Amino acid sequence: MSERSSVQNPMLRYVDQIGWHYVSPKDALLLRGGEAGLYFSDILLAQLQKLNPAVLDPSRASEILRKLNLLRPSIEGNRDALSWLRGEQSIYVPEENRERNVQLIDFDFPENNIFQVTDEWKHKGAAFPNRADAVFLINGIPVALAETKNAEKRDGAAEGMTQIRRYHLETPEMLILPQVFEVTELIKFFYGATWSTCRKNLFNWKDVVQGDYEHTVKTFFDQKRILKVLHDYIIFLSRDDDLVKIILRQHQTRAVEKVIARVRDPEKRRGLVWHTQGSGKTLTMITIASKLLRESQGAGAEKPTVLMLVDRTELESQLFKNIAGYGIGSAQIASSKRELRKILSSDYRGLVVSMIHKFEDIPGDMSTRNNVIVLVDEAHRTTGGDLGNYLLAALPNATYIGFTGTPIDRLTKGKGTFKVFGIDDPQGYLDKYSIAESIEDGTTVRLNYAIAPSDLLVDQETLESEFLDLAAAQGISDIDELNAILDRAVKLKELLKSPDRIGKVARYVAQHFRENVEPLGFKAFLVAVDRPACAAYKEELDKYLPPEYSQVVYSSMHNDLTELRKYYINEDQEKKVRKDFLKKDSLPKILIVTQKLLTGFDAPILYCMYLDKPMRDHVLLQAIARVNRPYEDESGLVKPCGFVLDFVGIFEKLERALAFDSDLVASVIKNIDVLKLLFETYMTGPAKEYIALSKGWDDKSKEKAIDYFKDKEVRENFFWFFRQLQNIYDILSPDAFLRPYMNDYQSLARLYGLILNAYMDVYVDQEITAKTRELLQKYTTGGSMEPPGAIHELGPKELKALRDSGVSDTTKVLNLRKLIALASKGSNNPILRLIGERTEAIRQDYEDRQITTQEALIRFEGLARDYLNADKERERLGLDESSFIIYSLLKPEVEEILPAQAKEINTLFQSFPDYRWDEKQEQKLRAGLYKYMLPIAGKERFIKLTDDLLRLRRE
């Protein structure tokens, strides 16, 4: 069953049922005015005048279309397109002598909009043409596109995502207006924002009814939901001078809706949003603020004061420096106590951003209005003690919403985050997004830890007496407080900063990075106890690694000594360091830090943290969360987990270092020994069945293994198993623990490569990770993963050699199928595309056991001959290229087709040169083809073959 019949057509049918009216590809092409058209011109013109009756006449409406046509095919153009969609752009109205905003979509009354969907949307760009499976339009404007893949395809969703990326690269004009994309292969349903196509920005749509494709499609494309996404849940922001686009995920939009509802509830004034570290809490907060302020702009609505309390790191970040970019407009930044009091006492309406510390000693009743909303970031640490009391007294009637990733710390003592914010909800929180959910969704990755060799750890008695046993350190939530405690731990700091120890740790770090981290393709943090320790580590690391590998990042102080000043970098240099660190192939590879970048710095490429600073509770959790961001790039590199190597010994006392609920701790981080046990279990259990197939490794052994994996489900099970095993090997290697398993693991890797080569159109090097590849190169010979009799190009000699070889028919079939598929893949040659389609059809029949191995071999050999002899055959038949394409399409279906008939059909096409966009010509051409094909193909096939001809010629 094809992806069109099993996935694409049902999607179109389901969305039609919820109000997205279907437009055929030919009608869509007419409405666009050709394959370069961005939108349905006539529909958009009519809707513009309908939605803006006092602003737009036909001339001004046409001017809007002209402006849309001038948008750049880039992320900047897409940002401007969204601004138009949201009604933020204006046009000059001479009669009123002023600018008036223009409404392209009615967000308040959905029934005033026209919702349409079409398929096979081909766009002819300046460089390349491309075709999207389905496009969704509102008032004639494309707002979303969908790629549908066959559920039976291996990694169908990944293939769809590759196509989305290709559209951006090859035909960016097609992506000027659409804001959202979706990729599905029936079982899985992913979505993301256009112009944001890296793996970490691709999200799994979680439907309440799991496994129900119809329900999933209807909930995702619900008209009101899509309007909310366009209006509220897409954000453009600047990160280190680069414009990026973000779409809020389901847990974020859910929290936004709940907070808005809580603010409107006259009976409840508190709420806690408990979303795990790395889940985008700050963006959720900003979206809430933006939505509260926008919704207050209607007639009679009273504008609220939204007070956002963040820490200094966030306040100084680009997120808040560019806050106007979120559609909020201007924001008051209260960076001093005096400024905060002045703003609150002036009855200011709008957004105020400040820090909790600015409330110290503030008078009570600064504002007694009940439309003051306080959004508190990192609520677990900002509202405890006197500062929280000052805040509550200054704004007694405000609604307070706390945001945290780690709230359960001192609940039993009645002082925890639940006590302050959770009193209006029986479960203690308004919305929750747990670590386990985050890992399941791919929002974060799992964390593993290992403890450094005992001779590198600090004295555990000193660690306990000067840190872990201190009451002041329990529940610590602020890194400044942590630093103050460590400054008093004189002996502990002395041990940590001993020159001899720092030299040994630096040498160990350098070796570990070279052997464990760098081969994986990732980067690392070294977290030192203070700034002098950072400088000392840099000196020592440079002895073992190139100096450009590492970079110190810390704040400067006026009384710093020369050894600290040596590593100063200014703001622009730091920005460049941060930007370069995010790139896989750029230096530096290791950042040496103590406070800066431990919060608020999102670096997915960061895999390993070398921890040499005592931490606990919230500060520890926030720090190690730096390595939990997912990473995947186009080369196939996937981050398996985050890893922390502990040089302090904190994790030996994990239950004390993370004084939270035990289930929370268990879901946060696991000892790497757990992975060793899992690897051993895999190798002594399931691996045995596969290891037996990898013995011998002559041609007969290989053929036996290939035949064993003939069944698709058996293959997929093996692929899944080996990928799990390979991930664990990557994390553990090198390690003496692995030595007893090396031979068997190498055999499994070789088997994996062979089966991939035999059955899949992939580059095996991309499927095998660097560490495993290095192992294979060291201990196996070239070609050991190739099927017997493998040929690498398709020519008459090679074809004859394969036919005459002694390999099995199964191996011949697999060799031929792969060669033909690779030769025709992505080709712009219509003949090769035809051969590619037939190759896929034969492969599917063979996989489904509809044909025997011998039948598949005969058919593949026929396709190979067609491929090799195409030019000669065309000359022999005396056909031009267009007629030969028609002949090649019809010959397998109509054996008796004559070259002269193919010429006549081509002449018929030439009689209607504008049929692609002229509906009357298309109707006449179709009628002519029906009349011509009926006696040739018969009643059962003439309609299908006519459709095939029209589709082929359109391409």
Side-chain angles (χ1 to χ4, degrees):
M1 190 178 289
S2 70
E3 64 192 41
R4 183 177 181 87
S5 61
S6 63
V7 185
Q8 186 170 317
N9 287 346
M11 172 187 284
L12 297 172
R13 185 168 67 252
Y14 298 148
V15 297
D16 187 70
Q17 292 168 4
I18 59 171
W20 294 87
H21 301 296
Y22 177 69
V23 180
S24 70
K26 67 173 184 178
D27 290 340
L29 199 62
L30 283 170
L31 289 166
R32 292 166 60 199
E35 292 177 352
L38 298 178
Y39 42 71
F40 293 171
S41 305
D42 291 345
I43 290 174
L44 179 53
L45 276 171
Q47 284 296 100
L48 280 169
Q49 293 172 77
K50 173 185 172 182
L51 298 177
N52 304 273
V55 179
L56 298 180
D57 56 20
S59 174
R60 290 180 198 139
S62 296
E63 175 63 12
I64 301 300
L65 266 63
R66 188 187 72 83
K67 291 186 175 185
L68 292 177
N69 280 329
L70 292 175
L71 292 173
R72 291 168 291 173
S74 63
I75 187 172
E76 289 80 11
N78 189 249
R79 175 195 58 194
D80 296 341
L82 182 62
S83 183
W84 277 104
L85 292 175
R86 286 176 171 173
E88 296 166 352
Q89 297 296 315
S90 61
I91 193 168
Y92 180 68
V93 181
E95 298 87 347
E96 302 178 14
N97 194 29
R98 61 171 176 155
E99 294 278 333
R100 291 283 300 273
N101 278 31
V102 177
Q103 192 175 21
L104 276 69
I105 295 174
D106 192 333
F107 290 100
D108 297 323
F109 299 97
E111 63 274 12
N112 288 335
N113 302 303
I114 295 173
F115 295 87
Q116 295 168 299
V117 63
T118 186
D119 56 342
E120 306 305 320
W121 176 289
K122 187 172 182 182
H123 197 106
K124 188 175 182 180
F128 297 97
N130 263 303
R131 185 180 63 223
D133 288 341
V135 172
F136 293 75
L137 306 97
I138 301 177
N139 298 334
I141 306 166
V143 295
L145 55 84
E147 281 301 311
T148 56
K149 293 295 155 194
N150 195 320
E152 296 179 351
K153 273 192 177 179
R154 172 183 176 264
D155 293 338
E159 184 181 320
M161 194 63 214
T162 299
Q163 284 182 268
I164 295 286
R165 291 191 185 107
R166 193 178 74 238
Y167 300 160
H168 284 78
L169 291 171
E170 296 180 355
T171 318
E173 298 89 348
M174 188 163 73
L175 280 303
I176 293 173
L177 296 172
Q179 298 295 324
V180 181
F181 69 83
E182 175 275 329
V183 176
T184 184
E185 32 82 295
L186 197 67
I187 308 301
K188 296 175 183 176
F189 198 97
F190 297 98
Y191 69 100
T194 54
W195 300 96
S196 182
T197 58
C198 63
R199 174 62 186 87
K200 77 183 187 74
N201 294 330
L202 179 67
F203 310 119
N204 184 24
W205 178 256
K206 289 165 56 177
D207 194 10
V208 290
V209 183
Q210 294 294 316
D212 186 333
Y213 183 58
E214 179 179 357
H215 193 273
T216 298
V217 168
K218 288 182 174 179
T219 33
F220 183 84
F221 288 109
D222 177 80
Q223 291 176 359
K224 291 182 178 178
R225 197 196 77 80
I226 291 292
L227 289 176
K228 281 184 181 178
V229 169
L230 294 174
H231 193 260
D232 297 319
Y233 299 140
I234 295 172
I235 296 170
F236 286 88
L237 58 98
S238 178
R239 281 185 181 159
D240 293 321
D241 298 329
D242 288 332
L243 185 64
V244 297
K245 182 180 179 184
I246 294 171
I247 184 170
L248 266 63
R249 290 159 280 176
Q250 282 174 280
H251 67 274
Q252 293 173 297
T253 60
R254 183 184 69 221
V256 171
E257 300 297 334
K258 286 184 178 181
V259 170
I260 298 296
R262 177 56 49 89
V263 170
R264 292 172 180 162
D265 189 333
E267 304 298 324
K268 297 179 179 180
R269 316 297 294 177
R270 307 280 179 89
L272 178 66
V273 177
W274 177 11
H275 286 189
T276 189
Q277 299 288 343
S279 60
K281 294 189 299 297
T282 306
L283 285 177
T284 304
M285 289 176 65
I286 291 175
T287 304
I288 290 166
S290 175
K291 195 168 170 64
L292 285 169
L293 293 170
R294 269 207 308 268
E295 291 181 358
S296 67
Q297 293 172 3
E302 185 182 1
K303 191 172 183 178
T305 300
V306 180
L307 176 61
M308 194 179 296
L309 297 181
V310 298
D311 65 14
R312 184 176 66 251
T313 305
E314 290 288 6
L315 190 61
E316 293 173 350
S317 73
Q318 287 185 326
L319 208 58
F320 286 94
K321 287 179 180 177
N322 296 291
I323 202 161
Y326 301 98
I328 293 175
S330 61
Q332 293 279 348
I333 309 293
S335 53
S336 70
K337 293 179 182 179
R338 178 179 294 180
E339 281 183 271
L340 179 62
R341 295 179 190 189
K342 182 180 177 181
I343 292 168
L344 294 179
S345 62
S346 69
D347 201 34
Y348 170 81
R349 308 300 177 97
L351 178 64
V352 182
V353 183
S354 190
M355 295 179 284
I356 185 66
H357 307 90
K358 306 307 175 188
F359 276 88
E360 187 175 14
D361 293 327
I362 197 169
D365 295 338
M366 290 297 295
S367 176
T368 57
R369 286 188 290 113
N370 62 6
N371 68 335
V372 176
I373 301 100
V374 184
L375 308 177
V376 185
D377 196 14
E378 302 301 346
H380 57 269
R381 73 166 185 256
T382 50
T383 50
D386 291 340
L387 289 173
N389 294 331
Y390 285 127
L391 170 64
L392 297 171
L395 305 169
N397 299 317
T399 296
Y400 290 89
I401 307 294
F403 294 79
T404 186
T406 55
I408 310 176
D409 54 344
R410 290 168 288 180
L411 179 59
T412 54
K413 300 178 185 178
K415 293 159 58 179
T417 321
F418 282 87
K419 182 74 174 176
V420 179
F421 293 97
I423 56 174
D424 284 336
D425 296 289
Q427 70 272 39
Y429 52 83
L430 180 62
D431 192 67
K432 179 184 177 182
Y433 185 62
S434 69
I435 293 172
E437 287 178 282
S438 175
I439 292 171
E440 181 185 351
D441 292 347
T443 306
T444 60
V445 296
R446 298 183 185 279
L447 295 182
N448 297 304
Y449 74 88
I451 298 171
S454 57
D455 62 315
L456 299 178
L457 300 178
V458 295
D459 177 66
Q460 293 300 289
E461 287 187 13
T462 306
L463 175 66
E464 293 193 23
S465 63
E466 293 197 6
F467 185 67
L468 289 175
D469 288 344
L470 295 182
Q474 294 177 15
I476 193 163
S477 58
D478 185 89
I479 198 159
D480 287 323
E481 294 176 22
L482 172 69
N483 290 337
I485 291 170
L486 291 175
D487 284 343
R488 295 192 293 271
V490 178
K491 186 178 178 183
L492 178 59
K493 258 195 163 182
E494 188 180 293
L495 291 171
L496 286 164
K497 293 163 66 175
S498 157
D500 179 61
R501 179 181 179 275
I502 282 183
K504 289 178 179 177
V505 171
R507 185 166 61 249
Y508 190 93
V509 166
Q511 182 180 353
H512 184 274
F513 182 81
R514 282 289 206 189
E515 294 180 350
N516 295 69
V517 181
E518 191 174 26
L520 289 176
F522 296 109
K523 298 190 177 185
F525 267 16
L526 195 167
V527 183
V529 68
D530 59 17
R531 294 182 310 132
C534 287
Y537 269 120
K538 172 62 176 168
E539 293 280 349
E540 290 298 318
L541 268 183
D542 285 354
K543 295 177 182 177
Y544 307 104
L545 296 172
E548 60 271 19
Y549 264 45
S550 61
Q551 174 68 54
V552 177
V553 181
Y554 52 50
S555 301
S556 60
M557 299 181 74
H558 72 279
N559 58 346
D560 281 341
L561 299 175
T562 305
E563 54 263 32
L564 289 179
R565 293 177 182 274
K566 181 179 178 181
Y567 298 112
Y568 278 5
I569 53 176
N570 61 36
E571 187 175 336
D572 288 339
Q573 289 171 322
E574 183 182 323
K575 184 186 290 185
K576 185 179 187 306
V577 166
R578 288 156 50 119
K579 197 171 181 178
D580 289 343
F581 188 77
L582 297 174
K583 300 172 185 174
K584 179 176 69 174
D585 298 321
S586 296
L587 297 169
K589 298 187 177 189
I590 301 172
L591 293 184
I592 305 170
V593 300
T594 184
Q595 180 166 343
K596 261 194 172 184
L597 307 187
L598 284 181
T599 59
F601 181 52
D602 187 3
I605 195 71
L606 176 60
Y607 162 75
C608 178
M609 176 175 286
Y610 298 110
L611 184 63
D612 199 38
K613 180 172 185 170
M615 297 180 180
R616 60 174 301 164
D617 299 331
H618 303 287
V619 176
L620 176 59
L621 202 55
Q622 282 187 307
I624 64 177
R626 293 308 98 207
V627 298
N628 77 351
R629 276 37 172 190
Y631 180 92
E632 181 175 341
D633 63 24
E634 294 177 14
S635 72
L637 178 63
V638 180
K639 185 167 159 183
C641 64
F643 180 67
V644 180
L645 184 52
D646 176 15
F647 288 92
V648 179
I650 285 289
F651 287 100
E652 285 195 321
K653 314 286 183 183
L654 189 57
E655 72 287 350
R656 295 176 64 190
L658 290 172
F660 306 116
D661 179 272
S662 59
D663 290 339
L664 175 66
V665 175
S667 65
V668 171
I669 189 162
K670 291 184 174 12
N671 193 311
I672 203 166
D673 287 345
V674 173
L675 291 182
K676 291 181 179 180
L677 179 61
L678 184 58
F679 190 87
E680 180 182 8
T681 303
Y682 277 166
M683 292 300 292
T684 56
K688 293 295 185 186
E689 171 190 357
Y690 302 124
I691 291 169
L693 293 165
S694 63
K695 300 300 182 187
W697 221 241
D698 55 16
D699 282 358
K700 293 301 178 187
S701 300
K702 287 184 178 181
E703 288 188 351
K704 180 181 177 183
I706 289 169
D707 194 61
Y708 179 86
F709 290 106
K710 189 183 294 185
D711 184 83
K712 182 180 179 181
E713 186 175 348
V714 174
R715 280 200 311 275
E716 294 295 342
N717 288 339
F718 172 59
F719 290 153
W720 180 90
F721 167 77
F722 184 78
R723 288 184 195 120
Q724 304 304 307
L725 192 69
Q726 183 174 233
N727 276 343
I728 302 171
Y729 176 82
D730 278 350
I731 296 164
L732 296 177
S733 174
D735 192 300
F737 158 81
L738 294 169
R739 184 65 193 90
Y741 306 105
M742 292 302 288
N743 289 338
D744 285 345
Y745 177 75
Q746 174 193 315
S747 297
L748 288 169
R750 192 175 55 183
L751 178 66
Y752 178 67
L754 172 71
I755 304 307
L756 276 177
N757 255 326
Y759 287 95
M760 303 299 169
D761 303 332
V762 296
Y763 295 104
V764 174
D765 273 4
Q766 287 190 359
E767 298 289 323
I768 294 178
T769 59
K771 287 186 179 181
T772 301
R773 195 159 57 241
E774 183 183 355
L775 179 71
L776 288 171
Q777 289 168 352
K778 190 173 180 180
Y779 293 106
T780 62
T781 58
S784 66
M785 293 187 291
E786 287 189 343
I791 54 177
H792 301 287
E793 63 177 86
L794 198 52
K797 289 181 184 176
E798 289 80 9
L799 191 58
K800 184 177 186 305
L802 180 65
R803 190 186 303 118
D804 296 340
S805 69
V807 301
S808 69
D809 285 351
T810 298
T811 304
K812 289 177 182 177
V813 164
L814 295 174
N815 266 320
L816 271 177
R817 182 209 62 79
K818 185 170 184 177
L819 267 178
I820 299 169
L822 289 174
S824 57
K825 194 173 185 179
S827 173
N828 288 322
N829 184 319
I831 294 295
L832 291 187
R833 284 209 307 272
L834 267 177
I835 290 173
E837 289 176 5
R838 288 172 184 159
T839 301
E840 176 60 21
I842 297 170
R843 183 200 66 78
Q844 194 65 54
D845 285 346
Y846 182 54
E847 192 125 286
D848 294 342
R849 300 290 185 267
Q850 300 298 309
I851 56 175
T852 65
T853 301
Q854 288 71 31
E855 287 172 316
L857 182 58
I858 291 168
R859 293 189 191 182
F860 279 131
E861 285 178 342
L863 284 181
R865 284 193 297 272
D866 289 346
Y867 171 84
L868 293 171
N869 300 325
D871 288 339
K872 287 182 181 178
E873 180 68 2
R874 182 173 69 79
E875 290 176 9
R876 187 186 71 80
L877 295 170
L879 294 174
D880 60 70
E881 191 169 305
S882 296
S883 299
F884 184 60
I885 292 167
I886 293 169
Y887 181 83
S888 300
L889 173 70
L890 296 176
K891 184 67 176 174
E893 302 287 339
V894 184
E895 181 67 31
E896 60 274 15
I897 189 78
L898 299 173
Q901 292 172 312
K903 287 182 179 179
E904 290 171 0
I905 293 172
N906 187 48
T907 301
L908 190 58
F909 271 97
Q910 291 172 343
S911 302
F912 303 98
D914 298 328
Y915 79 92
R916 291 177 178 83
W917 48 82
D918 186 317
E919 186 175 14
K920 288 183 180 178
Q921 283 200 19
E922 198 271 347
Q923 288 174 348
K924 289 179 181 178
L925 174 60
R926 182 177 288 274
L929 288 170
Y930 280 164
K931 185 177 180 180
Y932 194 92
M933 292 300 301
L934 179 59
I936 296 175
K939 289 187 291 186
E940 293 80 14
R941 292 183 295 168
F942 82 100
I943 293 177
K944 176 188 176 297
L945 290 176
T946 296
D947 289 340
D948 288 346
L949 283 167
L950 286 167
R951 175 180 62 82
L952 182 69
R953 292 304 299 264
R954 283 184 195 279
E955 294 174 347

